[in-house]
Amino acid sequence: MAVLRTSVVGSYPVPDWMERLKTEYCRGRMSRAQLLDVHETAIKAALRDQELAGIDIVSDGELRRDNDLDYLLARISGMEIPRTTKDFYFDYYDVRVGTPLPAPSEATSLGLADDFGFTAAQTERPVKFSFTGPFSLARHVRNDAYPDRRELVLAIARLLGAEAHALLARGATHLQIDEPFLAGYPDEVGLAVEAINVVTAGVPAEWGLHVCYGNRYARPSWEGHYDFLFPAVLDASVDHLVLEFGRKGLGDLPIVAEQGWDRGVGLGVIDVKSRRVESPELVAGRIRRALELFPAERLVINPDCGLRHLPGPIARAKLHAMVAGTRLVRDELTGTAGPARALPPDDAGLPATRPDPEPEPDHGPPVPVPAVTSDDTPSEHRGDLRR
């Protein structure tokens, strides 16, 4: 495997036709069998897109999932979802747990190994399989079963740990836990790490932990710096931290190095919240700056987060640019580079805390945000109101 491997974080654009069909299913107008066929068709297309772009480690694009929570929560035995229809497929379910969750068993399987098995059968490339972690899942559940949220988080972690064992048995080698809510609760990183270690225990895969600042409708839910992860995340049994730098700039990367992170970094070099396509030269510049702190063997090159909210053509163009930029640096490292290309002058050298010198992000035309709660408050922000 080449140094500076390229990968994706997880989700892939949902085509308009698929959005309409998923919503039809959520409104009870399509059968589950029809939806399964839709999912499998879209996954095959997403894999082909990634292969054509030259991505080394591909994913199923999380195209079976309505969002980052519902697919998993709806499959956990004991989770109560009083209303399973939705006006729009991307809306969140209201979820409650009224009694303690059952211990992991064959009967409590979430079926993630089957999802992975389908994807792995469609490609010759390594497949990364990602799933939302126990901390973020628990934040969306009204807890009426446990005396405190920690017990709920750990109960979900045990179930996900069983899924991880099943994925390993099916041949999964690259697994990733996504904790999209963690940036909103920086004081609870210790609990999240405790739960992550329950999930990864006894599963010798290459594990990634993805932490970003939210990506609901291509907008961040929180802001801050990655210092909130430390020192607790040093105890996480994972091989990579998969972080976003494309949108925020590389200013936080020295924090990761200075805090003693001695494992891999999934380097986000593509801003998934902007429709502006990065140039290969800009991507290469970001990688070169990261190489001032981390050796190539410890870097995996990926977008900041999932590509779900980007139009398909833009997502594909960004992936092509990411791979092309990575190849520029690979060639330099292996001594096969052609004549040096002129880079944007501000991309040379690693500033201490300066963001990339780029134009203001262009988020494209305003995206209508359908109501996800009765009070119009995004679910990411109301998670702590559910106990």
Side-chain angles (χ1 to χ4, degrees):
M1 180 69 74
V3 296
L4 298 177
R5 294 173 294 169
T6 54
S7 188
V8 290
V9 171
S11 70
Y12 201 70
V14 178
D16 290 344
W17 59 266
M18 188 175 176
E19 280 198 353
R20 290 195 292 271
L21 291 174
K22 287 168 80 75
T23 299
E24 288 295 292
Y25 175 78
C26 292
R27 293 173 178 173
R29 298 171 182 167
M30 270 183 61
S31 70
R32 180 174 290 278
Q34 290 172 318
L35 184 67
L36 176 64
D37 187 56
V38 168
H39 286 161
E40 292 185 348
T41 299
I43 289 169
K44 291 176 184 176
L47 288 170
R48 183 62 176 152
D49 278 355
Q50 293 169 72
E51 291 171 347
L52 288 173
I55 299 296
D56 297 313
I57 305 169
V58 298
S59 87
D60 67 358
E62 301 178 3
L63 289 165
R64 298 178 189 277
R65 309 176 194 179
D66 291 353
N67 50 54
D68 51 352
L69 301 173
D70 288 355
Y71 188 78
L72 299 172
L73 289 174
R75 291 174 171 229
I76 295 177
S77 298
M79 293 293 181
E80 301 171 12
I81 302 175
R83 183 172 181 264
T84 56
T85 57
K86 305 180 187 180
D87 293 329
F88 182 57
Y89 84 96
F90 197 53
D91 293 347
Y92 285 136
Y93 289 137
D94 289 327
V95 186
R96 170 184 177 269
V97 58
T99 57
L101 299 175
S105 69
E106 188 172 335
T108 63
S109 170
L110 277 61
L112 301 186
D114 290 340
D115 292 351
F116 167 79
F118 172 82
T119 304
Q122 311 305 316
T123 180
E124 298 293 324
R125 303 199 180 197
V127 173
K128 174 196 280 190
F129 191 88
S130 58
F131 53 86
T132 304
F135 179 83
S136 294
L137 289 174
R139 295 263 26 138
H140 190 68
V141 176
R142 182 187 299 276
N143 174 26
D144 292 328
Y146 297 92
D148 58 52
R149 187 169 296 277
R150 175 179 176 275
E151 294 303 316
L152 172 60
V153 172
L154 294 179
I156 294 174
R158 289 188 284 272
L159 293 169
L160 292 180
E163 291 301 303
H165 280 276
L167 285 160
L168 182 73
R170 190 63 70 90
T173 55
H174 298 74
L175 297 173
Q176 178 178 287
I177 297 173
D178 300 336
E179 287 292 5
F181 286 16
L182 196 52
Y185 304 91
D187 295 337
E188 299 187 54
V189 177
L191 170 58
V193 169
E194 180 183 7
I196 287 165
N197 289 345
V198 171
V199 178
T200 62
V203 181
E206 186 172 320
W207 281 98
L209 169 61
H210 172 55
V211 180
C212 63
Y213 290 89
N215 189 24
R216 185 75 170 161
Y217 293 106
R219 288 172 172 79
S221 300
W222 300 283
E223 292 293 351
H225 297 282
Y226 279 126
D227 52 358
F228 80 89
L229 289 172
F230 295 94
V233 78
L234 296 176
D235 293 329
S237 297
V238 298
D239 302 289
H240 300 272
L241 284 178
V242 183
L243 305 175
E244 68 167 285
F245 298 105
R247 178 181 68 89
K248 292 172 62 64
L250 289 167
D252 277 5
L253 196 57
I255 293 173
V256 178
E258 292 164 1
Q259 292 288 336
W261 182 253
D262 57 359
R263 285 159 269 171
V265 174
L267 185 73
V269 295
I270 297 293
D271 182 358
V272 301
K273 298 177 178 66
S274 168
R275 297 189 178 194
R276 185 174 61 85
V277 178
E278 292 83 352
S279 68
E281 288 77 15
L282 179 59
V283 171
R286 290 172 175 171
I287 297 171
R288 291 189 192 101
R289 292 162 61 189
L291 287 171
E292 296 177 17
L293 295 170
F294 294 92
E297 294 76 15
R298 287 172 54 192
L299 292 179
V300 177
I301 310 304
N302 46 251
D304 277 357
C305 191
L307 299 163
R308 175 184 293 269
H309 300 295
L310 287 171
I314 292 177
R316 287 189 284 274
K318 282 176 173 274
L319 290 183
H320 279 270
M322 186 182 81
V323 171
T326 302
R327 285 176 177 162
L328 288 174
V329 183
R330 276 183 191 161
D331 290 347
E332 293 167 1
L333 295 174
T334 58
T336 58
R341 300 187 183 191
L343 298 179
D346 283 332
D347 263 340
L350 183 66
T353 56
R354 181 171 56 80
D356 287 305
E358 301 173 2
E360 287 298 316
D362 173 17
H363 295 293
V367 178
V369 181
V372 295
T373 68
S374 58
D375 60 1
D376 290 333
T377 303
S379 295
E380 291 93 329
H381 297 289
R382 60 184 171 84
D384 59 342
L385 302 178
R386 299 173 159 237
R387 292 180 289 274

